[in-house]
């Protein structure tokens, strides 16, 4: 909870900074999500109804209310990646990780999701793992990326 | 082809957040000149420049600023739309990552004109690394006296803040962006009032795209007429295009207005990849229109495009080769809009779901001619009644592909997908 | 005033600047259909049902939020508009649980009416977006599968009631109106007022139906089932049977209840008189003996829960009197049980209330007498109508019945409890007589009547100046309490009703299909109550003979020890 108070203070406990506060808290959470009691604390401090705050964190796709895997893999499925073979990338990842989009591996290591375009169309098909973007993906390249993730655990 | 680089001149050549390197490479000349001019004078130059907004809606920036200037209410805010969510668009990212001071200079000129003291750059959350570069550039500009208090010793103050999005395409829409800047859900507001009168915190707000702001230093520097002459009679200057899809050389290209789409794809882009044939081009992002081979000689210029029922949108040029199926491609497009609809209004929230449902039916071989008619009808309803640009333009790709490739849709009703992309597996509704 | 001239469907009209197309059309008796729109409350322009064509404008424009402009030419029902509207309604229906036959809103549903009028008969699509399941609190049932996402309930809850437990969440096909983390409404600060039900255009919100409990009690020969009916029910129940708004159907209602099989049909008006005896005494006591002031009324359970959540520093200001519903239960299971010689364990008390929060109040821990639950089941006006319809009675033709004694006699003071200001006026009538020691004849306190959200008055009785405030709608209550907190206002006595207009507009009252008539309906229902008051011979609570008998026989006098055991309560911080 000190973390929450710290972030709230950094943003001057101002309502308009709600999204910035939540982004930062999610980063601090360690499991890429917003714990319920943190959310409640933020709502209370900013004097916002909890329903409003809940509305905000469910509206934006970057917020999670449940913990995600350590590596949060987003496969772009928008037009440019689609015609570059995003479907294949997704299938390869599903096979490699043994999970479907929206799921997390039992070891809590990977979460797989589909995402909207994140501006890597010049290197499509592309995926994003955390902040990092990987493009021009082939089967071998994907395998390499996943195994380096596994090593990095 | 004259090689004019206004926006991309410094890409990759300087340390992006270094004020010193920026200045050595010709930066801040615009601002220095601007502060010696009258506000109205600069706006006059902008009007002469024929600069149209680069964010997608292509509203003439000079006129927009003239109107905003006339609004008598303080404080005014300057906002930069760096939400860049339109699929196939990645140009603002290059400016932000490789020459952010150009944007900052453009916004500072804006602040000088409008008397704004605070500005916000709303950068999509997915560009988190780039946000750090922009923040650092802002800090450096402050240290060097180009931002903050008493800028260039001229007694005007302007502070800039980077605000992060959190994953919502609709926040690229003016009023949704303002809502998001206020920390709320990104649902568009009823217009009027327009943001120029009543925007951020209910105050007058000048909102432009990254690229739009980045054109301003040059316009001030070389003058509106000269800037305009880089382009065509109706569309001034240069434009960053984002070439993607089945084309040899993908990437961002700065082009003067007036090149044809064919020149862009074949001269700059090196043609269609793997020796395949071009099927269609999706111009302006997923919300833009699709055009067949026969329209490739259209010039990139707002007037010519409009005559052919096209629009440049954000500057995305997505090349799709003939191994692709229009129904399959549209499914990807509509999935995007279905997911990104903010859910506020009926036609968009429900319409996107239904267009996707009917496309899925087609791709499973269960579609009928009546389904195609129904799609046209919903598309029309969405276009005419959606609350904001998202829902109004979501069916554009579908409508234009239906116009040019109706036969392919009809084939699907007979259970045939010539490209073998659709499963035609009629089992199961989902 | 600047006038704007325009043409709608070929007809000329001139309206003042700032008028919407929707309102301009009304001047011409053209009804443009709407769904999400509620004037001044929910002007969001999101459903797009009201779209019209304006010459020279691209696309269609929503009439509800588009202002007129000079020379405008509007078409409200041409081919394009008709087809588009039909498409939009069909799109709404496609994700709607279409269960009209078993829906509590059947025939009082705005969506049903719109679809019927637009001729939407066939839904083209197959899929249904995934929606959360039905969830029920003690008072409110939410069915997201029927929600049309108009946002009206959100606006009422946040802006009228200042509660704000529901809001939009998610986006795209998942878009929903929900509580945080999809909690049940009873897990948070929902005050059970049911104002969201009243404003909902469809059956996505309804009361928790307790008629089954009542039927089985009636069917149980071992139980002595008594029923009490709140004041506001009798001027609204008739609407459910097509009678004019505001009709007083007390007599028919009593007959219907008797036919339904209740052993005794009593009146909450009786215990409203009792409440006045206690509350009036409490007020004088607090004023004379330096007690906590202002005294704030406690008969509205939605308001009580609101105060317990949000204004805990005012809990000591609340009158310790139980509400009339609970006083009735307490008396029924003690005094009545004794007089009628019935084992209180065998008495089953049913209340018919205009209010959904009463369902919650009845199960509060504090609401017990001698170890018995004071009230065993609470049904709303709507649920009573349902029971009457189910029994096949032709309500409008029923003869007038009369309430049973010894808990059935009431005064004009009691019946006006149902309208905002009524409790205040009833209390003043009694307090004035006590202070002056006279039987005053001038008892119409017009200064406390009216439907405005906040009203203030000062009355002088026997040299004593009493400063009063009356608020209805918890949002208005919040504003008033904020002012008091800030030291900007002070009073001796405040009446608070959770719902706008008071109980006549409670969350359990008949649904007003045409929401633009809400104000008018409130007015007529209130007039109904004041009409009854005028027609009563006895119009002061302390003159109610059954009340006198009750004190003489059982309670001794107001404020006695026994009274405190039975009729007073306390509040908790939530
Ligand atoms: C759904 C939607 C998304 C948009 N996304 C963006 C965007 O990502 N970036 C942008 O600059 N403009 C976007 N726009 C256009 C903006 O609303 C606005 O017109 C533009 O930012 C104005 O700046 P400009 O005049 O400089 O182009 C979007 C519009 C809509 C309707
Ligand atoms: S058109 Fe779509 S994105 Fe825009 S307000 Fe309507 S639902 Fe939201
Ligand atoms: S809400 Fe209305 S349309 Fe829906 S099932 Fe109930 S009555 Fe029918
Ligand atoms: S019952 Fe009242 S407090 Fe509860 S959700 Fe409905 S309007 Fe809000
Ligand atoms: S529950 Fe009713 S009032 Fe609330 S948004 Fe849904 S349909 Fe509208
Ligand atoms: S009634 Fe006008 S948009 Fe809903």
């Amino acid at each position: 909870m000190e973390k929450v108070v710290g972030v709230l203070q950094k943003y001057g406990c101002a309502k308009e900074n709600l999204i910035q506060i939540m982004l930062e808290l999610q980063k601090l959470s360690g499991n890429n999500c917003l714990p319920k009691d943190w959310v409640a604390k933020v709502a209370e401090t900013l004097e916002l109804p909890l329903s409003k705050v809940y509305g905000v964190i469910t509206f934006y796709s970057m917020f999670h209310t449940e913990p995600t895997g350590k590596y949060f893999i987003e496969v772009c499925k928008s037009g440019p990646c689609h015609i570059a073979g995003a479907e294949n990338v997704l299938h390869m990842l599903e096979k490699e990780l043994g999970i479907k989009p929206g799921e997390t591996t039992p070891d809590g290591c990977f979460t797989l999701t589909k995402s909207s375009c994140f501006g890597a169309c010049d290197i499509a098909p592309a995926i994003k793992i955390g902040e990092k973007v990987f493009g021009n993906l082939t089967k071998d390249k994907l395998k390499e990326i996943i195994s380096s993730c596994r090593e990095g655990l | 082809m004259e090689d004019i680089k206004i926006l991309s001149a410094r890409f990759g050549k300087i340390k992006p957040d270094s004020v010193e390197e920026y200045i050595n490479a010709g930066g801040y000349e615009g601002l220095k000149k601007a502060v010696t001019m009258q506000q109205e004078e600069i706006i006059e130059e902008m009007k002469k420049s024929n600069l149209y907004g680069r964010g997608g809606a292509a509203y003439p920036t000079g006129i927009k600023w003239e109107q905003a200037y006339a609004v008598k209410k303080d404080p005014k805010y300057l906002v930069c739309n760096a939400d860049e969510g339109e699929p196939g668009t990645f140009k603002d990212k290059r400016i932000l990552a490789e020459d952010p001071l150009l944007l900052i200079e453009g916004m500072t000129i804006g602040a000088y004109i409008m008397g704004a003291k605070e500005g916000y750059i709303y950068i999509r959350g997915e560009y988190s690394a780039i946000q750090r570069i922009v923040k650092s550039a802002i800090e450096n500009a402050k240290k060097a006296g180009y931002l903050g208090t008493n800028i260039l010793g001229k007694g005007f103050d302007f502070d800039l803040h980077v605000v992060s999005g959190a994953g919502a395409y609709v926040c690229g829409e003016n009023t949704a962006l303002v809502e998001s800047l206020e920390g709320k859900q990104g649902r568009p507001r009823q217009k009027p009032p327009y943001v120029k009168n009543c925007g951020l915190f209910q105050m007058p707000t000048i909102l432009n795209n990254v690229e739009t702001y980045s054109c301003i230093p040059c316009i001030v520097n070389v003058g509106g007429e000269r800037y305009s002459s880089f382009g065509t009679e109706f569309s001034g200057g240069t434009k960053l295009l984002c070439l993607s899809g089945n084309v040899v050389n993908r990437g961002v290209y700065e082009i003067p207005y007036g090149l044809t789409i064919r020149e862009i794809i074949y001269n700059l882009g090196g043609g269609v990849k793997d020796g395949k044939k071009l099927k269609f081009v999706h111009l302006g992002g997923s919300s833009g229109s699709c055009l067949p081979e026969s329209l490739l000689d259209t010039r990139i210029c707002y007037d010519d495009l409009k005559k052919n029922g096209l629009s440049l949108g954000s500057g995305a040029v997505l090349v799709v080769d003939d191994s692709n199926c229009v129904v399959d491609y549209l499914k990807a497009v509509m999935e995007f809009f279905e997911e990104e609809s903010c859910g506020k209004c009926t036609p968009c929230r429900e319409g996107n779901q239904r267009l996707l449902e009917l496309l899925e039916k087609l791709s499973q071989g269960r579609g009928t001619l009546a389904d195609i008619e129904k799609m046209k009808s919903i598309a029309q309803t969405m276009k005419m009644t959606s609350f904001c640009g998202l829902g109004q333009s979501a069916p554009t790709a579908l409508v234009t592909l239906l116009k040019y490739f109706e036969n392919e849709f009809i084939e699907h009703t007979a259970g045939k997908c010539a490209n073998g992309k659709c499963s035609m597996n009629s089992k199961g509704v989902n | 005033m600047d006038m704007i001239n325009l043409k709608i469907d070929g007809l000329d009209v001139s309206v003042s600047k700032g008028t919407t197309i929707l309102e301009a059309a009304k001047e011409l008796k053209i009804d443009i259909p709407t769904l999400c729109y509620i004037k001044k409350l929910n002007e969001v322009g999101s459903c797009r049902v009201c779209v019209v064509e304006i010459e020279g404008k691209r696309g269609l424009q929503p009439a509800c939020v588009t202002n007129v402009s000079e020379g405008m030419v509007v078409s409200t029902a041409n081919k394009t508009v008709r087809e588009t509207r039909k498409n939009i309604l069909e799109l709404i229906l496609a994700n709607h649980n279409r269960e009209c036959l078993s829906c509590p809103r059947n025939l009082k549903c705005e969506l049903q009416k719109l679809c019927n009028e637009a001729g939407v008969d066939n839904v083209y699509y197959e899929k249904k977006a995934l929606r959360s399941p039905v969830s029920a609190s003690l008072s409110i049932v939410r069915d997201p599968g029927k929600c049309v996402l108009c946002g009206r309930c959100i606006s009422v809850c946040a802006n009228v009631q200042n509660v704000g437990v529901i809001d939009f969440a998610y986006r795209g096909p998942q878009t929903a109106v929900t509580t945080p983390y999809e909690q049940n409404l009873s897990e948070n600060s929902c005050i059970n007022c049911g104002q969201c039900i009243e404003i909902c255009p469809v059956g996505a919100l309804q009361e928790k139906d307790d008629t089954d409990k009542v039927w089985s009690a009636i069917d149980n020969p071992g139980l002595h089932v008594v029923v009490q009916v709140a004041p506001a029910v009798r001027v609204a129940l008739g609407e459910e049977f097509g009678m004019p708004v505001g009709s007083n159907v007390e007599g028919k209602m009593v007959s219907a209840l008797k036919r339904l099989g209740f052993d005794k049909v009593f009146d909450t008006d009786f215990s409203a008189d009792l409440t006045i005896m206690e509350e009036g005494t409490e007020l004088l006591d607090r004023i004379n003996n330096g007690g906590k002031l202002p005294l704030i009324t406690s008969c509205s359970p939605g308001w009580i829960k609101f105060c317990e959540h949000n204004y805990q520093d005012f809990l000591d200001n609340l009158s310790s009197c139980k509400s009339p519903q609970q006083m009735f239960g307490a008396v029924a299971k003690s005094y009545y049980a004794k007089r009628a010689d019935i084992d209180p364990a065998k008495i089953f008390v049913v209340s018919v209330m205009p209010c959904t929060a009463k369902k919650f109040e009845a199960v509060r821990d504090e609401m017990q007498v001698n170890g018995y639950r004071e009230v065993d089941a609470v049904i709303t006006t709507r649920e009573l109508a349902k029971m009457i319809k189910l029994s096949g009675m032709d309500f409008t033709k029923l003869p007038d019945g009369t309430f049973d004694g010894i808990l059935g006699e009431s005064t004009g003071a009691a019946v006006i409890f149902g309208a905002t200001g009524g409790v205040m006026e009833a209390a003043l009538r009694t307090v004035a007589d006590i202070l002056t020691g006279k039987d005053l004849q001038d008892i119409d306190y017009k200064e406390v009547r009216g439907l405005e959200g906040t009203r203030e008055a000062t009355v002088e009785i026997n040299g004593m100046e009493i400063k009063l405030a009356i608020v209805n709608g918890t949002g208005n209550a919040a504003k008033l309490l904020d002012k008091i907190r800030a030291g900007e206002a002070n009073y001796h006595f405040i009446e608070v009703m959770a719902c706008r207009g008071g109980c006549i507009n409670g969350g359990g009252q008949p649904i007003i299909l045409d929401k633009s008539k809400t104000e008018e309906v409130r007015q007529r229902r209130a007039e109904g109550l004041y009409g009854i008051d005028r027609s009563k011979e006895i119009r002061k609570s302390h003159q109610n003979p059954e009340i006198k008998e009750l004190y003489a026989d059982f309670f001794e006098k107001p404020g006695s020890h026994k009274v405190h055991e039975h009729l007073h309560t306390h509040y908790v911080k939530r």
Side-chain angles (χ1 to χ4, degrees), chain B residues 71-257:
Chain B
V71 176
K72 296 271 170 278
K73 199 167 153 196
D74 270 330
K76 286 183 183 171
Y77 292 107
L78 217 64
V79 173
C80 172
N81 187 343
D83 193 47
E84 197 162 64
E86 191 62 57
T89 313
F90 40 98
K91 60 174 180 86
D92 294 342
K93 176 172 141 183
R94 293 290 297 276
I95 298 178
L96 296 165
E98 299 183 42
D99 201 8
L101 285 159
L102 179 62
L103 163 66
I104 294 168
E105 182 182 350
M107 290 188 77
T108 313
I109 297 172
Y112 170 73
I113 298 173
M114 302 295 169
K117 302 241 173 309
E118 307 275 340
Y120 297 86
I121 307 178
Y122 183 92
I123 307 181
R124 65 179 304 183
E126 292 81 354
Y127 290 174
S128 46
I130 294 170
Q131 290 171 8
R132 291 192 283 274
I133 299 174
V134 179
K135 280 182 190 162
S136 160
I138 290 173
E139 283 317 306
N140 294 339
K142 272 193 211 167
K143 278 182 215 146
Y146 288 93
L147 208 56
T149 46
N150 193 17
I151 293 169
L152 291 176
K154 293 286 174 189
F156 86 97
D157 307 340
F158 181 55
D159 199 4
L160 262 177
H161 312 274
V162 170
V163 175
S164 178
Y169 163 70
V170 66
C171 290
E173 196 274 344
N174 279 357
T175 57
L177 189 148
V178 166
E179 286 282 294
S180 187
L181 269 179
E182 293 180 1
K184 304 176 190 155
Q185 300 185 11
R187 292 207 164 84
R189 293 180 185 167
Q190 175 67 32
K191 284 179 276 191
Y194 297 97
V195 292
K196 64 174 179 246
N197 297 309
C198 180
L200 186 59
F201 307 126
Q202 310 300 316
M203 285 297 151
T205 301
I206 297 89
L207 196 150
N208 283 97
N209 170 257
V210 175
E211 187 184 345
T212 313
Y213 280 121
S214 300
C215 295
I216 290 169
C218 174
I219 292 171
V220 174
N221 214 1
V222 304
E225 254 161 61
R226 173 94 181 94
Y227 176 86
S228 177
S229 71
F230 300 144
T232 65
E233 196 187 338
F234 296 108
S235 309
T238 62
K239 174 85 189 87
L240 294 180
L241 291 187
C242 315
L243 200 50
S244 69
N246 309 124
V247 62
V248 179
N249 305 312
R250 299 176 294 187
V252 174
Y253 297 91
E254 181 167 2
I255 61 132
Y257 282 92

Side-chain angles (χ1 to χ4, degrees), chain C residues 110 131 147 171 189 193 214 268 370-371 389 433 459 530:
Chain C
E110 293 178 44
R131 299 269 179 89
C147 173
R171 68 176 193 224
S189 56
C193 65
V214 179
T268 311
N370 304 326
K389 285 175 188 165
D433 275 12
V459 293
Y530 286 107

Side-chain angles (χ1 to χ4, degrees), chain C residues 95-151:
Chain C
N95 264 332
H96 184 85
N97 280 355
R98 300 183 294 276
E99 307 163 340
C100 298
L101 296 185
S102 60
C103 182
R105 258 323 149 86
N106 193 23
L107 304 178
K108 284 242 184 173
C109 170
E110 293 178 44
L111 179 62
Q112 195 183 46
K113 182 164 175 277
L114 286 169
C115 289
N116 181 280
E117 286 165 0
V120 182
D121 40 9
N122 174 26
V123 173
Y124 196 84
Y125 316 98
E126 298 171 347
K127 281 196 187 173
K128 273 269 173 76
L130 212 60
R131 299 269 179 89
S132 300
V134 176
S135 80
S137 74
L138 289 164
S139 302
I140 316 281
V141 178
R142 298 176 54 238
D143 182 355
K146 284 183 189 152
C147 173
V148 298
L149 301 168
C150 66

